[in-house]
């Protein structure tokens, strides 16, 4: 509803459906994946979506050991509309993980936390739990604590629905008029209700 990946993967056909991404190419050795973003995409607060938002999502995702970091070396932004994933080792799983991860961390909101993770490196951050480097673990603990205390008013995404009203019992979503495919939405409002148990 609210967040979009770069592509949606259809396992039965091997097809990738464009979402926040428009197209992608792979290097012959499978170590580099270049994604072109869909032009005109915006976050729900009106801010343009760029490659820096994808980079921010993946590097902050390293703090929670995002699976793609098992293969990933870096995420680079040669320009606002291009993202380059560089892998330490090629794998078809790496491509699927990179292209289908929801982009959830807009740089204009979470960007102040990005330099600390970039300095350490995403692969080291994601693998630090198994390491014996207490200094690195302490640095990461400090970054995580700052992030845990950070609470934006409402989450913003790039998807076809944006969050409206949130109570303890329900959440209402409404169609996002600036989404590139807003004119194709037949449903304009969604209510998500809380339930106490499956019974």
């Amino acid at each position: 509803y609210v967040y979009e990946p770069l592509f949606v993967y259809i396992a039965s056909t091997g097809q990738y459906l464009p979402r926040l991404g428009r197209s992608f190419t792979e290097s012959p050795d499978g170590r580099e994946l270049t994604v072109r973003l869909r032009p005109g995409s915006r976050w729900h607060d009106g801010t343009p979506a760029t490659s820096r938002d994808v980079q921010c999502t993946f590097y902050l995702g390293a703090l929670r050991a995002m699976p793609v970091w098992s293969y990933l070396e870096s995420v680079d932004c040669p320009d606002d509309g291009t993202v380059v994933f560089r892998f330490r080792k090629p794998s078809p799983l790496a491509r699927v993980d990179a292209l289908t991860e929801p982009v959830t961390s807009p740089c204009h909101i979470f960007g102040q936390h990005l330099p600390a993770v970039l300095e350490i490196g995403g692969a080291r951050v994601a693998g630090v739990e198994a390491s014996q480097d207490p200094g690195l673990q302490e640095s990461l603990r400090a970054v995580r604590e700052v992030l845990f205390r950070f609470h934006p008013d409402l989450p913003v995404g790039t998807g076809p629905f944006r969050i409206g009203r949130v109570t303890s019992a329900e959440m209402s979503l409404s169609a996002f008029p600036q989404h590139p495919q807003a004119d194709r939405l037949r449903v304009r409002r969604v209510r998500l209700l809380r339930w106490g148990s499956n019974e």
Side-chain angles (χ1 to χ4, degrees), residues 48-177:
T50 72
S51 57
R52 291 282 290 167
D53 301 312
V54 179
Q55 183 187 53
C56 193
T57 292
F58 277 83
Y59 275 94
L60 294 187
L63 289 166
R64 56 180 172 82
M66 188 184 281
V68 71
W69 282 106
S70 300
Y71 314 97
L72 199 54
E73 179 65 37
S74 67
V75 181
D76 300 312
C77 308
D79 59 58
D80 282 351
T82 308
V83 181
V84 179
F85 295 93
R86 292 189 169 88
F87 300 101
R88 285 177 283 116
K89 50 187 176 182
S91 166
L93 292 177
R95 180 197 322 125
V96 173
D97 284 351
L99 294 178
T100 61
E101 181 68 35
V103 178
T104 59
S105 301
C107 200
H108 67 283
I109 295 176
F110 293 96
Q112 70 267 31
H113 308 292
L114 183 58
V117 184
L118 282 172
E119 185 178 329
I120 297 168
R124 288 188 71 207
V125 168
V128 76
E129 303 305 333
S131 82
Q132 300 300 313
D133 186 340
L136 184 54
Q137 289 183 5
E138 184 56 39
S139 297
L140 290 176
R141 189 176 300 111
V143 174
R144 285 189 180 104
E145 285 175 3
V146 170
L147 274 166
F148 290 155
R149 288 193 303 268
F150 179 57
H151 297 286
D153 292 335
L154 282 177
V156 295
T158 59
F161 293 92
R162 64 181 167 193
I163 297 176
R165 187 166 156 265
V166 179
T167 71
S168 60
E170 71 176 74
M171 180 186 299
S172 65
L173 310 178
S174 58
F176 178 46

Side-chain angles (χ1 to χ4, degrees), residues 4 19-21 37-43 46-50 53 158 176 178-180:
E4 293 179 295
R19 292 297 299 269
L20 196 54
L37 299 183
R38 179 181 66 204
S41 294
R42 293 189 169 274
W43 292 95
T47 305
T50 72
D53 301 312
T158 59
F176 178 46
Q178 291 179 288
H179 189 273

